[in-house]
């Protein structure tokens, strides 16, 4: 008799997620890998390219971010890239195996100006390449989300970062509720949601459970959940935080896979500090997407090179996910 799939639930409790999170690591990974195979091809990993289309100079005070104008980092401020430059990067990304192209701008919120008009043109251009188009531009209004949707935007990334309780210790320039409001605007516009968080911010296990609870009890689960290990950027308040333990990453990925079974769990920032075996454990635990960045960077932090990722895939028997052709 065919085994039934794990149920998709939106009524998780913190106690239930905590019980999963606290399982012995071998049992937790086994359960997560089982759920992963019920909903996904375990040998396919989506490669998503992330490009910073506007870098640095952000007015926010996110304690982990080197793009905040108030911190003294070595990051070079860069104005919005020209359309043709962005499309050249997108074509190169597609040729290298990426099926999703994400454009990131270091803004607090989107403003209705010429720069936003240029981003709309970028979305239209990348969409014409038959790639999933993603943006992360800060806070959005309902009307701005609708404009992006009409231009062909497939996904919008807006991480909640951590638990609501811990959030105020990390960021003061916008509230946790404002992040949720942007996610709601994205949903109302018919755009898929990419939202996850960062571990290694000094949070407790209870904070991690609370962050997952927020995502897992949404009326509709995020289609993508990035799990980031803190990338420690010199000059930020988080520069001296300890390296995130690999088993904490595996535990977080596995728990996410079990409570949000249909999502793409994205192994995001922090991969450069993981060896091949450690990344392999993350894929076994349910991660099925990675972010790639050109010139061995992910926005403004180091990232494995394309060659290293190709070698990793070959060793693990993985292959890049290919999107179905648009009709």
């Amino acid at each position: 008799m065919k085994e039934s799939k794990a149920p998709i639930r939106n009524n998780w409790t913190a106690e239930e997620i905590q019980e999963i999170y606290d399982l012995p690591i071998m049992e937790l990974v086994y359960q997560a890998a089982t759920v992963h195979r019920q909903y996904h091809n375990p040998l396919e990993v989506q490669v998503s390219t992330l490009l910073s289309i506007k870098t640095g100079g952000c007015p926010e005070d996110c304690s982990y971010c080197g793009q905040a104008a108030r911190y003294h980092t070595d990051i070079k401020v860069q104005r919005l890239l020209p359309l043709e430059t962005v499309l050249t990067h997108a074509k190169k990304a597609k040729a290298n195996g990426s099926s999703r192209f994400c454009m990131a701008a270091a803004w607090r919120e989107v403003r209705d100006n010429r720069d936003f008009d240029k981003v709309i043109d970028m979305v239209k251009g990348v969409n014409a390449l038959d790639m999933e188009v993603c943006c992360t531009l800060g806070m959005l209004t309902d009307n701005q989300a609708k404009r992006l949707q009409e231009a062909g935007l497939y996904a919008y990334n807006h991480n909640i970062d951590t638990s609501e309780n811990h959030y105020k210790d990390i960021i003061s320039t916008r509230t946790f509720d404002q992040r949720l409001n942007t996610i709601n605007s994205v949903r109302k516009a018919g755009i898929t949601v990419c939202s996850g968080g960062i571990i290694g911010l000094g949070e407790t296990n209870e904070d991690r459970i609370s962050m997952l609870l927020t995502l897992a009890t949404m009326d509709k689960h995020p289609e993508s959940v990035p799990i980031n290990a803190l990338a420690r950027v010199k000059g930020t308040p988080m520069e001296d935080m300890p390296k995130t333990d690999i088993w904490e990453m595996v535990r977080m990925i596995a728990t996410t896979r079990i409570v949000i079974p249909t999502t793409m769990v994205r192994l995001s920032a922090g991969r450069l500090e993981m060896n091949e075996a450690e990344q392999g454990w993350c894929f076994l635990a349910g991660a099925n997407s990675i972010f790639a960045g050109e010139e061995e960077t992910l926005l403004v932090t180091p990232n494995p090179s394309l060659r290293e990722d190709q070698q990793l895939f070959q060793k693990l028997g993985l292959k890049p996910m290919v999107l179905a052709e648009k009709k």
Side-chain angles (χ1 to χ4, degrees), residues 3 8 18 27 111 130 142 148 157 167 169 207 250 305:
E3 183 180 357
I8 299 171
Q18 185 77 59
E27 176 61 23
R111 299 184 184 277
D130 285 336
D142 288 356
L148 287 166
N157 168 254
Y167 184 90
D169 297 325
D207 288 317
V250 170
S305 67

Side-chain angles (χ1 to χ4, degrees), residues 116-133:
F116 186 42
D117 293 339
K118 292 175 184 177
V119 171
I120 293 294
D121 289 337
M122 293 174 191
V123 171
K124 291 177 179 177
V126 177
N127 186 53
L129 299 175
D130 285 336
M131 301 181 77
E132 289 182 355
V133 195

Side-chain angles (χ1 to χ4, degrees), residues 89-107:
H89 283 286
K91 291 171 184 175
K92 182 178 179 182
K94 184 175 181 179
N96 288 333
S98 290
S99 58
R100 176 179 287 203
F101 190 75
C102 188
M103 297 174 284
W107 293 330

